[in-house]
Amino acid sequence: MRLSRYFLPVLKETPSEAQIVSHRLMLRAGMIKQSSAGIYSWLPLGFKVLRKIENIVHEEQVRAGHIPMQMPTLQSADLWRESGRYDAYGEEMLRITDRHDRDMLYTPTAEELITDIFRSNVSSYKDLPLTMYQIQWKFRDEIRPRFGVMRGREFYMKDGYNFDLSKEDALHAYNRHLVSYLRTYERMGLQAIPMRADGGPIGGDYTHEFLVLAETGESEVFYDSAVTDLTFGDREIDYDSVEQCQGVLEEFTTKYARTDETHDEALFNEVPEERRRTARGIEVGQIFYFGTKYSDALGAQVQTAEGEKVSVHMGSHGIGVSRLLGAIIEASHDDNGIIWPEGVTPFHAGIVNLKQGDAEADAACEALEKALEAAGLEPLYDDRKERAGGKFATMDLIGLPWRITVGPRGLKNGVVELTSRRTGESEELAPEAAVAKLIEIYADHRVTGI
Ligand code: 5CA
């Protein structure tokens, strides 16, 4: 992509309405524009990162054996009356009346609709286990939308739903989600810690939230500092293995880690004092096991091998896809701007031409652009007639992890400069060597989606 042809409306001034750094940087980097309170347009750069995050979520869900699908944003109120949540959900639910005076709503979550799909199509234990998920826009009429995409009214969420014959099977589905979430967040360069939480309007008393520690987080959390030493890494896991998934759950959830909703002072005090931490965190996901709450209410039953009719055991599992942009920026930035982890960066590398219009420099930049594209990477080539300082500032602000700087002086010696956004370190390399190095760096960070 040529920057001269792209739409990247960066702001020089720091927007006064933004209270936290991720919101400020998303506005300054031209990623989003507010259209009304808690509702945003995703400008090209923001949209690109949103898609990267979405694709990682897809890849990890499919890897875990979960099936992608899509449900509508507007739903009839009838199903929600059946479950009893039409009244229970309260003012956070946006209610709409259509031209025939029918009550509709903008989906804040989709347990009812998926359970209706299930009950209309599945009646035998032979079709279980089943987990389907979607990545879809949600609306919650938050009383205080704030911090940009962190607490929006319209937001993008992955919501998955498991249907199982027994509690035991449903808990395996729960564990499978926990494992897939650990992998998902780590691919985004994040440490998200599973913590015991509260079921809220979704229900169920067995639930974990995934929290990214950050001073600007909205949740108060209490944990044993030993949980921050745990990483999932690149270990192989068999998602069908009850034992392996259970093992990971135990490894990651045995040490004390809870949100304020479930915090237990007496238990916390059993953690050695030097490891007790109170901090703030951003909730980037939550998994729930709620048994037969919705299957009982909506009559989602299957026939067992013995011919008995039983309600299916269910859980639901969410990832805050749009919130993740804010969380990643909170965790990865400096005074000059965003620092994208390789897994989610909108472009793999920036190419900065120090002397636009110089035949040799222009040709070298174009050759780099072509070589990177041929290798399946996406460069962003700053081909504007601008001062070098301005070009560097833009690249730093938008946070591409790697920058190739091309100028007549280096080219005389056959080199370009490859700079890491994170460390600021530069190295002079032949253009082909810079391309080879980027190919190697990104070999472990390919995102294709589904
Ligand atoms: N039905 C369940 C799981 S599918 C559910 O709705 N869970 S949830 O309420 O915890 O939402 C899932 C995730 O969406 C949260 O962990 C959070 O990361 C994100 N989320 C929730 N509300 C907002 C909001 N107002 N703005 C941005 N993200 C949000």
Side-chain angles (χ1 to χ4, degrees):
M1 177 57 69
R2 301 283 171 98
L3 193 45
S4 64
R5 297 179 201 161
Y6 200 50
F7 183 69
L8 185 70
V10 297
L11 306 179
K12 293 240 156 50
E13 309 291 310
T14 298
S16 58
E17 76 268 28
Q19 295 160 24
I20 62 171
V21 67
S22 56
H23 188 194
R24 277 198 294 277
L25 287 173
M26 286 184 78
L27 293 170
R28 284 194 52 214
M31 297 176 67
I32 51 169
K33 182 176 185 322
Q34 182 174 306
S35 86
S36 58
I39 303 178
Y40 292 86
S41 296
W42 292 79
L43 305 184
L45 193 75
F47 182 61
K48 230 163 174 330
V49 181
L50 188 69
R51 279 283 176 266
K52 278 278 174 79
I53 292 174
E54 172 178 10
N55 284 336
I56 290 176
V57 173
H58 271 307
E59 285 178 14
E60 293 304 326
Q61 287 309 299
V62 169
R63 193 196 303 276
H66 306 156
I67 307 168
M69 50 107 64
Q70 184 99 291
M71 291 178 275
T73 52
L74 291 183
Q75 300 182 3
S76 155
D78 295 345
L79 283 172
W80 291 72
R81 290 206 171 93
E82 245 184 277
S83 75
R85 278 209 295 184
Y86 190 64
D87 293 326
Y89 219 98
E91 298 208 90
E92 263 190 26
M93 183 187 276
L94 181 66
R95 295 153 208 262
I96 303 156
T97 312
D98 75 7
R99 69 199 296 166
H100 304 293
D101 259 348
R102 280 189 290 247
D103 292 329
M104 311 280 293
L105 55 94
Y106 194 128
T107 178
T109 173
E111 281 79 6
E112 283 77 357
L113 197 55
I114 192 93
T115 307
D116 179 54
I117 292 168
F118 180 90
R119 73 176 172 187
S120 314
N121 295 287
V122 180
S123 55
S124 163
Y125 74 97
K126 289 180 193 154
D127 294 326
L128 302 182
L130 178 66
T131 296
M132 293 192 280
Y133 76 93
Q134 65 170 348
I135 301 180
Q136 176 61 296
W137 293 96
K138 303 291 184 309
F139 196 95
R140 293 182 189 171
D141 203 356
E142 302 275 353
I143 187 158
R144 242 186 330 144
R146 57 181 185 157
F147 301 161
V149 300
M150 289 273 214
R151 183 161 296 279
R153 291 200 297 164
E154 188 184 47
F155 61 98
Y156 206 37
M157 180 170 108
K158 171 261 169 182
D159 43 326
Y161 305 87
N162 68 284
F163 299 90
D164 287 279
L165 190 58
S166 65
K167 176 173 180 181
E168 207 185 5
D169 290 353
L171 289 178
H172 173 57
Y174 186 93
N175 297 348
R176 217 171 47 227
H177 279 90
L178 182 125
V179 176
S180 70
Y181 280 25
L182 292 172
R183 279 188 63 104
T184 301
Y185 298 122
E186 282 189 18
R187 279 186 69 182
M188 298 174 189
L190 283 178
Q191 178 171 47
I193 304 169
M195 301 199 181
R196 275 306 284 264
D198 180 73
I202 309 296
D205 53 12
Y206 190 51
T207 174
H208 285 90
E209 286 181 1
F210 287 76
L211 285 116
V212 173
L213 298 174
E215 275 165 32
T216 47
E218 292 189 281
S219 315
E220 193 178 17
V221 298
F222 303 83
Y223 61 95
D224 176 342
S225 65
V227 295
T228 58
D229 297 333
L230 299 170
T231 51
F232 188 80
D234 55 7
R235 58 180 108 167
E236 286 293 320
I237 185 118
D238 174 2
Y239 279 105
D240 289 331
S241 163
V242 170
E243 212 175 32
Q244 283 186 26
C245 292
Q246 175 72 22
V248 174
L249 173 107
E250 282 167 15
E251 179 184 342
F252 281 82
T253 63
T254 306
K255 298 201 171 62
Y256 193 94
R258 294 188 177 205
T259 64
D260 55 356
E261 298 153 347
T262 57
H263 178 55
D264 180 329
E265 199 63 37
L267 266 181
F268 189 48
N269 286 334
E270 289 174 16
V271 176
E273 194 173 352
E274 70 280 7
R275 297 208 320 242
R276 266 178 243 156
R277 299 280 188 283
T278 304
R280 303 201 67 83
I282 302 165
E283 180 206 325
V284 291
Q286 187 164 5
I287 53 179
F288 302 81
Y289 164 69
F290 42 67
T292 57
K293 173 176 170 176
Y294 297 93
S295 47
D296 281 341
L298 297 171
Q301 295 189 322
V302 292
Q303 195 151 30
T304 66
E306 293 75 38
E308 200 189 335
K309 279 205 157 176
V310 296
S311 291
V312 287
H313 285 256
M314 293 174 58
S316 72
H317 315 276
I319 292 182
V321 174
S322 50
R323 176 178 288 182
L324 272 164
L325 276 94
I328 292 169
I329 297 173
E330 289 294 326
S332 186
H333 67 269
D334 65 14
D335 289 347
N336 297 327
I338 302 165
I339 307 173
W340 291 116
E342 273 85 358
V344 300
T345 185
F347 294 96
H348 297 101
I351 301 173
V352 169
N353 188 343
L354 292 179
K355 199 162 186 199
Q356 202 70 44
D358 174 272
E360 225 187 313
D362 291 0
C365 288
E366 278 169 38
L368 277 167
E369 185 186 32
K370 283 217 177 70
L372 289 167
E373 282 172 355
L377 296 175
E378 283 185 287
L380 179 65
Y381 170 20
D382 190 346
D383 60 339
R384 298 169 305 161
K385 282 214 158 72
E386 268 234 18
R387 295 180 300 111
K391 291 189 175 187
F392 290 148
T394 301
M395 284 294 174
D396 282 353
L397 174 63
I398 68 171
L400 309 185
W402 297 94
R403 187 185 80 208
I404 305 178
T405 310
V406 180
R409 210 177 311 151
L411 288 177
K412 279 212 173 67
N413 301 321
V415 294
V416 296
E417 198 179 57
L418 183 66
T419 307
S420 156
R421 172 72 181 84
R422 189 169 294 279
T423 66
E425 280 165 22
S426 292
E427 115 181 78
E428 290 196 334
L429 294 167
E432 305 74 42
V435 171
K437 183 154 181 188
L438 288 172
I439 292 172
E440 194 187 317
I441 288 167
Y442 282 106
D444 292 336
H445 298 284
R446 295 284 173 159
V447 185
T448 46
I450 53 160

